[in-house]
Amino acid sequence: MASPAATCVLAWALALLCVGTQGADPAPCVFPFTYKGNVYTECTTIDSERPWCATTASYDQDKAYKFCSEEAYGGNSSGEPCFFPFAYRGHTYHACTTEQSHGAQPWCSTTENYDTDGRWSYCPDTILGGNSEKPCRFPFSYKGRQYTACTMDNGQRPWCATTSNYEADQTWRYCGTAAAGGNLDSSPCVFPFIYKDKTYHSCTAVNDQMGRPWCATTPSYDKDHLWRFCFSKVYGGNSSGQRCMFPFIYETKLFHSCTNAGSKMGHFWCATTQNYNQDKLWSYCPDIILGGNAPGKSCVFPFVYNKQIHYTCTSDGESSGKLWCSTTRNYDVDKKWTYCSTPDYDKPCVFPFIYKKFKFHTCTNLAEDSGKFWCSTTDNYDLDHQWSYCPA
């Protein structure tokens, strides 16, 4: 590692960093911290091109800092993204924690249940912040209202109180959000959902300036305004990011697409071998391969559509050309369906990647006349110009 003196001569180094100290194994960020008389409750880019934090309560006094990590790292999941909320020792965590066995660095579960799966990563510093490291406390009161979940009232990021009465104690912290971004945690996409009075059966990039796919996490965005960006690649689970295998057997059913069966919170997952009952290996699914009005349900074959009998998934009647199936014996009567996943759904995307100097954690349809989502197949499209279409 470069010495502090060497660091100061680098082109991006600024006066702030030339007088600070950062060890080879830096201490965790401390929030809040004071810099030039101002109090910061999260990583900042003030006087720096990269987000940073103090590692004591006062940078002005101690001159100790570190650059903030922007991705999950380490742990026993090789840096899989955090999953919020997650269960740990019977309690629900809506933010990173320093509880128990993982040392001073904040950590998170990479699945919805650490007690069951035991998978974890160290947290990105950029999702930390507030003035308390205690867990969220629900319900809590704020300005005369009772809150049973994280809120964005009077803030740009979701937060929670760490006592039952914010007005009395004034202690709070930021809540964890979905790794891909948005204003909510890892809550599953809900299909169909309504946005500006239009119904969407899959992720959409409408009104996102960077062309990134997103979904609502309730049936009506117009009513609830809760959303997150869609994951474009498998994540979490216990198979270290292995791709889904379709079809796969779970319990007594054959699944041609992802399912939320067995998930208490409704998260979509897939087996990474042909037989989950036998191998017990799985991953969370990319959101962009989900959709329909009965996602998570297994296909029912044969099924009737347009008075014809179908024994496999079909693209009939689907303008996008995607394969789909009925989740009941008779689509004409019940109108229940889900998209089928094809064997080549998992393209060799690399996330995050740089495109036009912007970091993408999901696919995008920018500069794509057809509107199809694409991704870089290296970490920097601007340099390498290597790309692939994302799963449809």
Side-chain angles (χ1 to χ4, degrees), residues 45 66-67 93 114 128 167 191 204 219 242 294 300 304 310 387:
T45 55
K66 74 168 188 173
F67 289 120
Y93 288 78
Y114 178 86
L128 307 176
E167 284 91 344
F191 301 114
T204 179
Q242 291 297 306
V300 172
V304 176
H310 293 264
W387 67 281

Side-chain angles (χ1 to χ4, degrees), residues 26-33 42-43 52-56 65-69 104-106 124-126 128-129 133:
C29 292
V30 170
F31 300 112
F33 67 87
E42 59 186 314
C43 295
W52 66 277
C53 66
T55 54
T56 69
Y65 78 98
K66 74 168 188 173
F67 289 120
C68 292
S69 58
Q105 297 283 358
D125 297 313
T126 50
L128 307 176
E133 292 186 354

Side-chain angles (χ1 to χ4, degrees), residues 47 73 111 119 144 181 211 238 243 262 271 283 324 360 366 379 384:
D47 292 335
Y73 62 97
T111 70
R119 307 284 292 179
N238 64 1
R243 59 179 293 166
S283 292
W324 66 276
F360 286 82
L366 276 183
D379 60 7
D384 305 313

Side-chain angles (χ1 to χ4, degrees), residues 125-392:
D125 297 313
T126 50
I127 70 171
L128 307 176
N131 64 9
S132 174
E133 292 186 354
K134 293 181 179 180
C136 294
R137 176 73 176 270
F138 299 114
F140 68 86
S141 64
Y142 173 63
K143 291 187 176 181
R145 288 184 56 190
Q146 290 287 313
Y147 291 82
T148 57
C150 298
T151 178
M152 290 186 64
D153 286 358
N154 285 5
Q156 295 182 335
R157 292 172 55 187
W159 66 276
C160 66
T162 56
T163 67
S164 61
N165 191 323
Y166 176 83
E167 284 91 344
D169 304 308
Q170 303 283 306
T171 59
W172 65 280
R173 68 178 303 165
Y174 286 120
C175 298
T177 54
N183 71 358
L184 197 64
D185 54 29
S186 305
S187 296
C189 293
V190 170
F191 301 114
F193 66 88
I194 297 172
Y195 175 61
K196 292 188 176 181
D197 296 323
K198 182 178 178 180
T199 300
Y200 292 84
H201 290 89
S202 59
C203 295
T204 179
V206 65
N207 287 357
D208 181 69
Q209 294 181 346
M210 304 305 293
R212 295 163 295 186
W214 65 274
C215 67
T217 54
T218 69
S220 176
Y221 175 89
D222 296 343
K223 177 183 177 182
D224 303 310
H225 301 286
L226 295 175
W227 68 280
R228 65 174 176 82
F229 287 118
C230 292
F231 282 98
S232 298
K233 198 164 187 172
V234 295
Y235 62 101
N238 64 1
S239 62
S240 300
Q242 291 297 306
R243 59 179 293 166
C244 297
M245 179 69 70
F246 297 112
F248 66 87
I249 297 171
Y250 171 62
E251 294 184 341
T252 60
K253 294 182 179 180
L254 184 67
F255 287 85
H256 290 76
S257 59
C258 300
T259 181
N260 54 11
S263 171
K264 292 182 180 179
M265 300 177 68
H267 297 290
F268 294 96
W269 64 276
C270 64
T272 56
T273 67
Q274 292 181 332
N275 193 324
Y276 176 85
N277 298 337
Q278 175 180 305
D279 303 312
K280 308 294 186 185
L281 294 173
W282 64 282
S283 292
Y284 287 120
C285 290
D287 300 306
I288 59 175
I289 68 171
L290 305 176
N293 63 13
K297 302 297 183 182
S298 60
C299 296
V300 172
F301 298 113
F303 66 88
V304 176
Y305 168 65
N306 201 20
K307 300 181 180 179
Q308 300 290 320
I309 297 178
H310 293 264
Y311 293 88
T312 61
C313 297
T314 180
S315 61
D316 289 356
E318 175 57 39
S319 59
S320 69
K322 292 182 180 180
L323 294 173
W324 66 276
C325 67
S326 175
T327 58
T328 68
R329 292 288 182 189
N330 194 323
Y331 175 86
D332 295 342
V333 172
D334 302 310
K335 309 294 186 186
K336 294 295 184 181
W337 65 281
T338 186
Y339 285 123
C340 299
S341 296
T342 55
D344 65 345
Y345 83 94
D346 196 7
K347 304 294 184 180
C349 298
V350 172
F351 298 109
F353 66 87
I354 302 297
Y355 173 59
K356 292 188 175 180
K357 299 183 179 180
F358 187 85
K359 184 181 289 187
F360 286 82
H361 292 265
T362 68
C363 298
T364 177
N365 64 7
L366 276 183
E368 175 53 45
D369 292 338
S370 68
K372 289 183 178 181
F373 292 113
W374 64 273
C375 64
S376 177
T377 55
T378 70
D379 60 7
N380 194 322
Y381 176 87
D382 295 343
L383 292 179
D384 305 313
H385 300 286
Q386 299 295 313
W387 67 281
S388 171
Y389 282 119
C390 294

Side-chain angles (χ1 to χ4, degrees), residues 11-43:
W12 44 261
L14 299 168
L16 156 71
L17 305 179
C18 293
V19 295
T21 58
Q22 180 173 12
D25 185 17
C29 292
V30 170
F31 300 112
F33 67 87
T34 302
Y35 171 61
K36 290 185 177 180
N38 294 317
V39 176
Y40 294 86
T41 57
E42 59 186 314
C43 295

